[in-house]
Amino acid sequence: MNVRAAVARECGVLKIETVELAPPKRGEVRVRMGAAGVCHSDLHTMRCELRARPPLVLGHEGAGTVDAVGEGVESVKAGDRVMLNWLPSCDVCSSCQAGHPSLCETFPATTFQGYLSDGTSRFQTQDGLGLKQLLSTATMSEYTVVSEASVLPLPDDVPFEVAAITGCAVMTGVGAVMNTAKVIPGSSAALIGCGGVGLSILLGLKMAGCYPLIAVDVMDSKLEFARSLGATHTVNAKDEDAIEAIRELTGKGADYVFDSVGNAATIAQAVAAAGPYGAATVTGMHSIQDKVPIPADALIFQNKRLLGSFVGSSRPKVDLPRLLELYRGGVLDLDALITKRYPLDDVNKAFDDMEAGEVVRGVLMFA
């Protein structure tokens, strides 16, 4: 079938094209998209800064309605509402068996390269160019075909756009709080970087009852978002020393510091801003290919912990439904994270707004 999709044929160039989508094979599901989140990972991929490189169809946060299923699919049927899980773990490798499905050993050759579990894709251009599917999904398309492991049932009262952002930004942020750092309620906390993931971290820290809850960024617009979502204090790192500000507000450094930016400067800030026995958790990937020097004395003499958190150390099949239940129960205000909705044709505008700090989370909506 022919579908319209956000296609990057080369690094740094993104256009809406009509492309060909093959039908689902055995164990696969075709989804008519309802919403797709706009994430920095999509932008990094389009610019050839992550593993999967063009040509590909962008998008990995999404939700929609099952349109068709291949042979052997039992968990969903045509007409079912679903959210997409871009971590379709095999459940049999040693990492999965040890309870770490987000580190499934099949991902380096499949998901991270932009392929389905069989190492192929279902998209190609009308002139015959094969297109990878970003993170095994390709949600920035009117329809997509994914593995059965990539779809989870979606309750009728959860909007598609809420489910879309939950699949990555919220799972990464709240998961870092709950699963990686295991924040103790009532602790002091700070977060560096107030984008979609950072503000999801903030919601997780608010849920944990942290005080003070300090947000750090270099853009006043993002700090305003942070205050509206529950930050008790904000620090503009362009105007003042963020480390000293956090120490002054907490007395000794925060019990927990989260870095959603992930460059050399912010990782060092997170470690320095954590107090004795504190934990610095890094979720951002800006310096994923860089060597980041960390002073050992802070870790040793003050018993600090430096933690890495990939997608919130999540177990998607457990954590995604749990996050949706917290939303349905009014505990997580995920609606507040979605500040603008765009048609598919405005995908480049959505990325521009994200970089300019004009949105917390933008979402592409499909008619």
Side-chain angles (χ1 to χ4, degrees), residues 106-152:
T106 67
F107 291 159
T110 57
T111 296
F112 297 156
Q113 299 300 326
Y115 298 117
L116 300 185
S117 58
D118 66 354
T120 66
S121 170
R122 302 294 165 263
F123 286 89
Q124 69 172 14
T125 65
Q126 293 191 316
D127 55 358
L129 177 67
L131 297 170
K132 302 171 189 175
Q133 298 182 223
L134 178 59
L135 295 174
S136 299
T137 48
T139 60
M140 292 183 180
S141 173
E142 294 173 323
Y143 290 77
T144 191
V145 171
V146 297
S147 165
E148 182 179 8
S150 287
V151 294
L152 295 171

Side-chain angles (χ1 to χ4, degrees), residues 36 66 85 94 161 215 245 287 292 299 319 322 331 343:
V66 174
N85 163 33
S94 60
E161 56 266 46
S287 293
V292 179
L299 298 177
D319 290 338
R322 177 181 297 168
V331 179

Side-chain angles (χ1 to χ4, degrees), residues 13-367:
V13 179
L14 181 64
K15 296 181 180 179
I16 303 301
E17 291 190 33
T18 297
V19 299
E20 297 177 5
L21 177 64
K25 296 182 179 181
R26 182 177 182 83
E28 295 177 351
V29 178
R30 185 167 69 209
V31 179
R32 175 167 54 85
M33 296 306 303
V38 181
C39 178
H40 267 101
S41 295
D42 300 305
L43 188 62
H44 289 315
T45 300
M46 189 260 286
R47 291 175 174 169
C48 296
E49 296 168 350
L50 294 178
R51 293 191 202 181
R53 290 173 174 261
L56 48 71
V57 177
L58 283 186
H60 63 287
E61 295 182 339
T65 305
V66 174
D67 178 67
V69 300
E71 292 183 18
V73 173
E74 298 180 351
S75 63
V76 294
K77 64 183 183 305
D80 285 353
R81 301 175 85 248
V82 292
M83 69 181 303
L84 294 192
N85 163 33
W86 60 270
L87 292 166
S89 56
C90 72
D91 296 336
V92 297
C93 71
S94 60
S95 293
C96 287
Q97 288 295 305
H100 305 292
S102 61
L103 301 180
C104 177
E105 293 162 24
T106 67
F107 291 159
T110 57
T111 296
F112 297 156
Q113 299 300 326
Y115 298 117
L116 300 185
S117 58
D118 66 354
T120 66
S121 170
R122 302 294 165 263
F123 286 89
Q124 69 172 14
T125 65
Q126 293 191 316
D127 55 358
L129 177 67
L131 297 170
K132 302 171 189 175
Q133 298 182 223
L134 178 59
L135 295 174
S136 299
T137 48
T139 60
M140 292 183 180
S141 173
E142 294 173 323
Y143 290 77
T144 191
V145 171
V146 297
S147 165
E148 182 179 8
S150 287
V151 294
L152 295 171
L154 179 64
D156 290 340
D157 58 351
V158 178
F160 286 137
E161 56 266 46
V162 168
I165 66 168
T166 302
C168 182
V170 176
M171 183 165 64
T172 298
V174 179
V177 174
M178 296 192 308
N179 300 331
T180 309
K182 296 180 171 61
V183 170
I184 297 172
S187 303
S188 60
L191 66 98
I192 301 171
C194 296
V197 171
L199 293 178
S200 295
I201 291 171
L202 188 151
L203 290 181
L205 295 171
K206 180 182 177 182
M207 184 171 62
C210 290
Y211 186 88
L213 178 44
I214 307 159
V216 179
D217 205 284
V218 296
M219 301 179 70
D220 288 332
S221 60
K222 291 187 176 183
L223 294 173
E224 289 177 12
F225 285 134
R227 282 191 290 270
S228 71
L229 291 175
T232 62
H233 302 79
T234 56
V235 176
N236 189 317
K238 287 195 305 183
D239 301 331
E240 56 183 313
D241 186 310
I243 298 169
E244 290 304 317
I246 292 170
R247 288 175 177 169
E248 182 176 346
L249 289 166
T250 58
K252 56 181 176 56
D255 297 319
Y256 299 92
V257 183
F258 293 83
D259 172 23
S260 71
V261 179
N263 64 34
T266 57
I267 293 172
Q269 281 181 324
V271 174
Y277 301 99
T281 302
V282 181
T283 67
M285 295 192 293
H286 279 68
S287 293
I288 193 169
Q289 297 178 343
D290 296 343
K291 301 296 183 183
V292 179
I294 298 296
D297 59 339
L299 298 177
I300 297 170
F301 293 125
Q302 293 191 319
N303 281 5
K304 294 185 182 183
R305 294 177 292 147
L306 176 59
L307 307 172
S309 182
F310 177 61
V311 202
S313 306
S314 61
R315 297 166 296 160
K317 293 177 183 177
V318 174
D319 290 338
L320 288 174
R322 177 181 297 168
L323 291 171
L324 293 183
E325 287 306 297
L326 290 170
Y327 165 76
R328 296 175 78 195
V331 179
L332 279 177
D333 184 8
L334 303 184
D335 294 300
L337 294 177
I338 302 170
T339 45
K340 195 167 183 179
R341 295 163 175 80
Y342 306 82
L344 178 62
D345 287 315
D346 288 350
V347 61
N348 282 298
K349 169 64 173 170
F351 282 126
D352 290 343
D353 289 349
M354 179 180 67
E355 286 204 288
E358 295 179 5
V359 295
V360 175
R361 207 63 170 180
V363 179
L364 302 179
M365 301 298 298
F366 298 84

